[in-house]
Amino acid sequence: MTERPLPAPGPDAVKSCCAAAYGTDAVALLLGESYHPGGLALTRRLADSLAPAPGARVLDVASGPGTTARLLAAEYGARVDGVDLGPATVATARAVTERAGLADRVRFHEGDAERLPFAAGTFDALVCECALCTFPDKEAAAAEFARVLRPGGRVGITDVTVAEGGLPEELAGIAGWVSCIADARSEEGYRALLEQAGLRVRRAERHVTAIARMVEQIDARLRLLGMTAPERLAEAGVDARALTPYLEAARAAVADGTVGYSLLLADKPGSAGS
Amino acid sequence: MADKARDRDEIFVEYTKSVCPVCKVVVDAQVNIRDNKVYLRKRCKDHGWFEALVYGDAQLYTESTRFNKPGTLPLAFQTEVRDGCPSDCGLCPEHKQHACLGIIEVNTGCNLDCPICFADSGRQQERRGPDTGGYSITREQCALMLDTFVEAEGEPEVVMFSGGEPTIHADILDFVDMAIERPIKIVNINTNGIRLATDPKFVDALAGRNGRNGTAVNVYLQFDGFEEATHRAIRGTDLRERKRRALDNCAEAGLTVTLVAAVERDLNDHELGDIIAFGVDHPAVYAVTFQPVTHSGRHVEFDPLTRLTNSDVMEMITEQRPDWFRPGDFVPVPCCFPTCRSVTYLLVDRKDDRTDVIPLPRLVDVDDYLDYASNRVLPDPELRASLERLWSASAFMNAPTTMDGLAAATANAECAACGIDLPEAAKDLGDRVFMIVVQDFLDPYTLNVKQLMKCCVEEITPDGRIIPFCAYNSVGYREQVRARMSGVEVADVVPNSRQLADVTVESPYGSRIARDGHREEAGEQPPVAPDHTNVGRRAVEEP
């Protein structure tokens, strides 16, 4: 196979039009770096599950442009810290938050999920949306989640799942440019990660429609770009027609459960004390 | 052996008010979910139980409640609260929404006698003489109706001239001019298209008015399908050639057309996908509206328990064009009650060998932005404002507010994808966007005051009232106005359901009316929708 529907990881054409942190990610290219399946509705479901009290301290790991962090502050009254790898992303999140008048309650930090820049026991709750799947050392990240939570604190994650047997053959080739599925785990795999870090998983929910919708959105965006800016798409080395079989395979994988999206809710044993 | 307690086979979800389909008395009603379908049930003391399907997908029905936006107060109300909804129309100060769209019916006469006509219009006067209870409004009346609308709305969004058949009214162009002179943004002509097909000068006269004084003039063309059987069943005659000519004349003159299909189960419900495909390809057509046949006025016999609803129509569209549509491509409109109307917009990609469409809700998280259930902080209030303009009963292609909303929403969709100058690319989307509306009007079976109280599609009456369209058709206002305007007594129309076949007879207009003609008993004219629910008695009798 010499034809590539999307550019191989790394070409400047793609990097130049994507956030650096997502440089080679096709999902980010098409849906934007802040995209995560399920949208605001699933974020609210996650937040409702955590139910942070007013004034509670919440950490958003891989906070992107800060939409979730601001939602937690504005709708739940939480004091939120967001951590993200990319300096530009953090700067954007700060600027938007400043404009929204939430800078006193929402702060952003450059940092790595595998080495969180906070003292142990700092947070009442932690969220991580569609990001654990991309962390190279997931065990280290999960251990960090457990460390920065206070006893009794809660962690909520939503993430892409790939069944134990791995991706079907037709989709194996896209792992190189869809970072979220390259190293995604099964729901049981995420559960084990959290449990090994000393967290107790209280609930796991499947949100298949969230990922099904993502596939449709990617399809729609590709076609929109084909309509309105075909030359830019060509410049970036993207051949929309060659992608069609991959999208069909992705739909099938979602339909048969190979690829999914899950919400997991866990807590750190021990009581908050008084 | 003791009987074992059993569960009901349905879930009770709403308590509301409705009317008896026979005598139009206000009665209590309940909404229940059974087998994932939503039904409204009620009982009249004199006429017994009635039940009708109101939504074919209970999950969609319950999920749609979050698409419910706070109503806007009109600048003026025309009536007072006296007996409660739906007896005080209107609009009374308890109405929850302003009028997105005002309908002016200019006549009851028509150049067709369709078997299906919620307005009970036709050639009755020509055929049976002047005492048959028809009317045409005068210029003075039209002026008063327009002024009433302007007084209530300030700068009204949409006036729709309807009938009868508005294009056969001698003064119709003057009426359009009168609307254009006022601060009204869009004027729609709701027509069967016969005059558009046969009178190119008239088409040019309309086109010449399009854009004058900033007012868009559009055509709302009745268009039910392509099969001769469809035309004969719904219109009583084969109008296919007329429709083709009307559309070609509009295209030539540059008029923007919405195709409006009345859809009846097992009659033309297999033609939905074809109507969309035809519209997408026709240069004059920018929108299709599907309306399950309103079982008010004249219609073919039906079963209220299997009538078509919005969710059925959306499902059929998806089944008939699986290459274009998927579930979730339509989003409820939040200005009226969200189960009344759902809308989608398609971006149309015409290639040499085929046409593709992209439903806008797949590009923008419309459902996130139009979700009003909790007090939320949105990342982009401007995008919500744009989407509100699109998901509205006042949205019409070729209207500046709608087109601006489309450009903004599409630009946003593209901005998320990187690097492309998207507002620029979205600018010339105008002729590549196609709108689809699915609108189920209430009838005397399905009437639910909860929906009525937030209705934003209103009839403007010659006596200066603004009455929710579904109240006008289902509660008795249409009959009241027709009687007052014509001086001829008009009996309450009763739905042509199988259940009521034995207790009704044909009216002079072809609709059904109660066999016993209860209206005449009362001597003087009884009020519209007398209320049996708020009877002014103690809830429990004193001992």
Side-chain angles (χ1 to χ4, degrees), chain A residues 11-87:
Chain A
D12 291 343
V14 183
K15 266 199 177 138
S16 66
C17 68
C18 281
Y22 278 80
T24 59
D25 191 292
V27 175
L29 171 67
L30 290 164
L31 299 183
E33 57 165 305
S34 64
Y35 184 86
H36 62 84
L40 281 175
L42 192 55
T43 295
R44 285 208 174 79
R45 185 169 179 88
L46 185 67
D48 283 341
S49 305
L50 295 172
R57 289 201 64 182
V58 182
L59 177 64
D60 182 356
V61 180
S63 50
T67 309
T68 297
R70 285 187 295 277
L71 181 148
L72 285 162
E75 295 187 8
Y76 297 82
R79 288 180 296 151
V80 188
D81 289 274
V83 174
D84 204 280
L85 264 181

Side-chain angles (χ1 to χ4, degrees), chain A residues 17 44 213 216 221 228, chain B residues 326 363 365 376 414 418:
Chain A
C17 68
R44 285 208 174 79
R213 183 173 160 81
E216 296 309 333
R221 291 274 161 104
T228 58
Chain B
R326 297 184 198 288
L363 295 165
D365 283 321
R376 23 208 68 206
E414 295 183 286
C418 355

Side-chain angles (χ1 to χ4, degrees), chain A residues 72-123:
Chain A
L72 285 162
E75 295 187 8
Y76 297 82
R79 288 180 296 151
V80 188
D81 289 274
V83 174
D84 204 280
L85 264 181
T89 305
V90 168
T92 304
R94 281 185 184 136
V96 177
T97 303
E98 183 80 35
R99 283 203 298 277
L102 290 166
D104 57 328
R105 278 178 285 165
V106 185
R107 293 176 298 178
F108 294 94
H109 316 263
E110 281 173 45
D112 187 340
E114 292 157 23
R115 289 185 305 278
L116 288 170
F118 300 99
T122 303
F123 294 100

Side-chain angles (χ1 to χ4, degrees), chain B residues 87-148:
Chain B
S87 310
D88 296 334
C89 299
L91 295 176
C92 79
E94 270 302 289
H95 199 69
K96 305 302 184 195
Q97 184 58 293
H98 79 116
C100 292
L101 185 154
I103 301 167
I104 292 181
E105 295 191 0
V106 300
N107 52 16
T108 55
C110 185
N111 43 8
L112 289 173
D113 288 297
C114 304
I116 291 177
C117 177
F118 65 79
D120 233 352
S121 301
R123 288 177 282 200
Q124 303 110 9
Q125 278 187 297
E126 289 169 43
R127 289 188 175 167
R128 304 196 195 187
D131 295 340
T132 325
Y135 68 87
S136 288
I137 63 167
T138 62
R139 290 172 201 228
E140 291 70 31
Q141 283 163 334
C142 185
L144 179 129
M145 293 160 96
L146 290 166
D147 289 339
T148 301

Side-chain angles (χ1 to χ4, degrees), chain A residues 14 17-19 28-33 35 38-41 44 67 70-71 74-75 100 102 213 216-221 223-229 232-233 241 248 251, chain B residues 66 326 328 347-349 351 353 356-359 361-368 371 374-379 410 412-414 416-422 425-426 429 432:
Chain A
V14 183
C17 68
C18 281
L29 171 67
L30 290 164
L31 299 183
E33 57 165 305
Y35 184 86
L40 281 175
R44 285 208 174 79
T67 309
R70 285 187 295 277
L71 181 148
E75 295 187 8
L102 290 166
R213 183 173 160 81
E216 296 309 333
Q217 284 179 306
I218 289 173
D219 181 32
R221 291 274 161 104
R223 289 196 278 140
L224 177 67
L225 289 176
M227 266 174 77
T228 58
R232 294 299 305 271
L233 211 52
R241 273 176 199 246
E248 281 309 314
R251 281 191 190 102
Chain B
R66 63 202 173 98
R326 297 184 198 288
L347 304 185
V348 179
D349 189 8
K351 300 193 188 77
D353 54 336
D356 274 334
V357 304
I358 312 168
R362 285 192 220 164
L363 295 165
V364 187
D365 283 321
V366 179
D367 44 357
D368 273 351
D371 179 341
S374 53
N375 187 19
R376 23 208 68 206
V377 181
L378 283 153
T410 314
N412 175 279
E414 295 183 286
C418 355
I420 289 166
D421 180 4
L422 301 165
L429 277 172
R432 296 205 260 182

